[in-house]
């Protein structure tokens, strides 16, 4: 495990290390990223000293077709680790498909997992002590704003402990459908899915999120009762 105060991107750093021969199990922790990334090449923004960016290198056993579960298992680990560390009441920390962790319905953590050859980089950024003026978007929050304990070392230790447990479970089973649908606040909601993140109108699907398939893709039932799985996109909770 390695720590630094500032870097460009922990995911990119770890991918470079993997290509140079690093072995699975290496974890990089940074308190600030200058060029952090989220899904769809969006920028991950933070304020130095108010969050952590962490990336872990793993060698999955399941076939790459099952690697869509990696973001989901990281979300499960962050949720469990935050609950265990902070004592948050049941239901306060939840998941939004596919890779957001929420506290009281607001985003506290973003997740980005990437393949590097036969290994994968699991990356996440967690808002710890941001105040209102430091939030990147109004729909975000931090442990501090949620009035929860937000010590960097304690939260990091709990999340990494949970990550090892969830990763080992996925290694054995190849999927986490029951566990995720129980923890995910998206399930059972009426949602709007934007398949094309570059367009405000193209590729929009609305319906009820009824579950996930064997690869972790969300299953949406439309008004006509037809069900279809979607492997990527942005989900908005309508109610």
């Amino acid at each position: 495990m390695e720590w630094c105060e500032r870097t460009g991107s922990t995911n990119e750093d770890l991918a470079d290390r993997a290509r140079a021969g690093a072995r699975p199990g290496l974890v990089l922790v940074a308190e600030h990223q200058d060029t952090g990334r989220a899904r769809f090449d969006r920028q991950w923004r933070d304020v130095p000293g108010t969050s952590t960016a962490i990336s872990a290198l793993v060698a999955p056993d399941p076939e790459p077709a099952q690697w869509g579960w990696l973001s989901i298992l990281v979300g499960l680990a962050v949720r469990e680790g935050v609950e265990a560390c902070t004592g948050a009441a049941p239901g306060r920390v939840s998941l939004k498909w596919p890779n957001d962790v929420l506290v009281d319905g607001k985003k506290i953590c973003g997740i980005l997992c990437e393949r590097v050859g036969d290994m994968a980089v699991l990356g996440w950024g967690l808002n710890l002590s941001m105040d209102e003026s430091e939030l990147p978007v109004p729909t975000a929050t931090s442990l501090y704003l949620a009035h929860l304990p937000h010590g960097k070392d304690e939260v990091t230790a709990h999340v990494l402990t949970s990550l090892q447990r969830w990763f080992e479970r996925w290694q054995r089973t190849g999927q986490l459908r029951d566990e995720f649908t129980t923890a995910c606040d998206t399930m059972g909601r009426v949602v709007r899915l934007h398949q094309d993140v570059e367009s405000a109108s193209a590729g929009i699907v609305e319906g009820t999120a009824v579950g996930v398939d064997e690869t972790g893709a969300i299953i949406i039932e439309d008004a006509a009762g037809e069900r279809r799985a979607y492997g990527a996109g942005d989900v908005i909770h309508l109610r």
Side-chain angles (χ1 to χ4, degrees):
M1 185 171 178
E2 299 180 8
W3 173 92
C4 67
E5 183 175 353
R6 188 174 196 139
T7 189
S9 162
T10 55
N11 265 29
E12 291 183 6
D13 290 349
L14 201 51
D16 288 343
R17 296 281 292 275
R19 286 187 281 266
R23 303 306 307 151
L26 179 60
V27 176
L28 301 182
V29 181
E31 296 203 23
H32 175 64
Q33 294 185 119
D34 292 317
T35 57
R37 293 176 294 113
R39 291 191 310 144
F40 308 118
D41 289 326
R42 293 168 176 159
Q43 183 180 13
W44 173 265
R45 291 181 292 160
D46 62 23
V47 176
T50 65
S51 63
T52 56
I54 304 176
S55 296
L57 186 64
V58 297
D61 288 333
E63 294 296 319
Q66 297 296 110
W67 289 17
W69 287 104
L70 289 172
S71 292
I72 287 174
L73 74 85
V74 174
L76 287 164
V78 172
R79 172 182 174 270
E80 183 179 80
V82 168
E83 283 188 335
C85 180
T86 65
R92 289 193 68 188
V93 188
S94 61
L95 303 178
K96 178 184 174 187
W97 185 91
N99 64 346
D100 289 344
V101 182
L102 313 178
V103 172
D104 301 331
K106 292 190 171 183
K107 182 173 178 176
I108 199 168
C109 174
I111 297 163
L112 180 65
C113 298
E114 301 175 285
R115 183 177 178 179
V116 184
D118 59 356
M119 294 189 286
V121 175
L122 314 182
W124 65 97
L126 184 59
N127 298 339
L128 298 172
S129 58
M130 289 180 177
D131 62 29
E132 291 279 0
S133 67
E134 295 169 327
L135 295 175
V137 292
T139 53
T141 190
S142 67
L143 293 180
Y144 165 76
L145 289 172
H147 306 290
L148 293 170
H150 49 275
K152 291 183 176 71
D153 292 348
E154 293 82 3
V155 175
T156 299
H158 277 82
V159 170
L160 287 174
T161 299
S162 293
L163 180 68
Q164 179 167 342
R165 189 172 70 83
W166 283 106
F167 181 74
E168 290 174 350
R169 181 182 297 190
W170 175 72
Q171 290 274 71
R172 295 192 303 270
T173 65
Q175 54 85 27
L176 300 166
R177 293 175 74 175
D178 292 342
E179 297 89 340
F180 179 65
T181 53
T182 298
C184 183
D185 195 43
T186 304
M187 298 301 109
R189 284 183 177 268
V190 177
V191 300
R192 179 180 296 129
L193 173 73
H194 289 261
Q195 294 176 272
D196 185 352
V197 297
E198 300 299 328
S199 171
S201 59
I204 294 178
V205 177
E206 289 190 5
T208 302
V210 296
V212 292
D213 70 7
E214 65 278 0
T215 67
I218 190 170
I219 301 173
I220 296 179
E221 182 179 291
D222 63 21
E226 182 179 351
R227 296 186 175 190
R228 183 177 173 186
Y230 301 88
D234 272 357
V235 164
I236 298 173
H237 291 172
L238 299 180
R239 63 178 184 273

